[in-house]
Amino acid sequence: MTSDSTPASTDVTAFDLIGGEQKVRDLVDRFYDLMDLEPEFAPLRAMHPTTLDGSRDKLFWFLCGWLGGPNHFVDRFGHPMLRARHLPYEIGIAERDQWVRCMALAMQDQNVPEPLQMRLMDGFLKTADWMRNVPR
């Protein structure tokens, strides 16, 4: 209990560990900046709209909730239904790996603590692999 008689929370989320909304926004912005600028991510970039503003917002909203913070995406759109939302795009091993590599670089560039990077990469890889919808 805290001094004001409310229970003290011991549940520290990945959202808390990463540093809250601004840090999630910074991570998402770096992710899309890398995708937009680095030639190795050109095929992944080509799968996105000409302007990335909507993609940036949607990933930010989604990650806030996925990391244990506010459910901005769910509040706006309902259940994420990630696989269904990505079915129009051919996602194979190469696309999965590009997405994961881009996110790994973004986390490094944003100085996400290494233990948290490892924890998040496990979840990112599992989620990205689940998005695959072509066998290649």
Side-chain angles (χ1 to χ4, degrees), residues 27-48:
L27 175 64
V28 168
D29 285 343
R30 184 61 184 150
F31 172 81
Y32 281 109
D33 289 348
L34 287 166
M35 186 191 301
D36 209 24
L37 298 171
E38 295 298 325
E40 75 178 286
F41 303 123
L44 184 62
R45 176 62 180 93
M47 298 172 73
H48 288 77

Side-chain angles (χ1 to χ4, degrees), residues 7 27 75 86 100 104:
L27 175 64
D75 292 345
H86 288 82
V100 170

Side-chain angles (χ1 to χ4, degrees), residues 78 85 91 103 124:
R85 291 181 195 275
I91 300 173
M103 184 55 76
F124 285 140

Side-chain angles (χ1 to χ4, degrees), residues 13-74:
T13 66
F15 180 81
D16 297 325
L17 293 172
I18 208 165
E21 283 192 12
Q22 187 57 58
K23 294 296 185 176
V24 175
R25 175 58 82 176
D26 294 345
L27 175 64
V28 168
D29 285 343
R30 184 61 184 150
F31 172 81
Y32 281 109
D33 289 348
L34 287 166
M35 186 191 301
D36 209 24
L37 298 171
E38 295 298 325
E40 75 178 286
F41 303 123
L44 184 62
R45 176 62 180 93
M47 298 172 73
H48 288 77
T50 303
T51 179
L52 292 171
D53 294 344
S55 299
R56 287 175 191 264
D57 285 343
K58 286 178 181 173
L59 183 58
F60 165 70
W61 294 329
F62 173 77
L63 284 182
C64 281
W66 187 77
L67 293 167
N71 282 313
H72 298 311
F73 189 94
V74 173

Side-chain angles (χ1 to χ4, degrees), residues 14-15 18 23-32 34-35 44 58-68 82-83 86 91-110 112-132:
F15 180 81
I18 208 165
K23 294 296 185 176
V24 175
R25 175 58 82 176
D26 294 345
L27 175 64
V28 168
D29 285 343
R30 184 61 184 150
F31 172 81
Y32 281 109
L34 287 166
M35 186 191 301
L44 184 62
K58 286 178 181 173
L59 183 58
F60 165 70
W61 294 329
F62 173 77
L63 284 182
C64 281
W66 187 77
L67 293 167
L82 288 181
R83 188 157 168 80
H86 288 82
I91 300 173
I93 293 168
E95 292 79 13
R96 174 203 64 195
D97 290 352
Q98 283 183 19
W99 194 98
V100 170
R101 170 113 172 98
C102 192
M103 184 55 76
L105 290 174
M107 285 195 295
Q108 290 170 12
D109 289 353
Q110 291 302 307
V112 173
E114 191 169 332
L116 182 57
Q117 285 184 44
M118 302 285 286
R119 175 177 156 191
L120 295 179
M121 282 310 298
D122 182 58
F124 285 140
L125 182 55
K126 287 176 183 172
T127 302
D129 195 54
W130 181 58
M131 294 302 179
R132 289 180 45 218

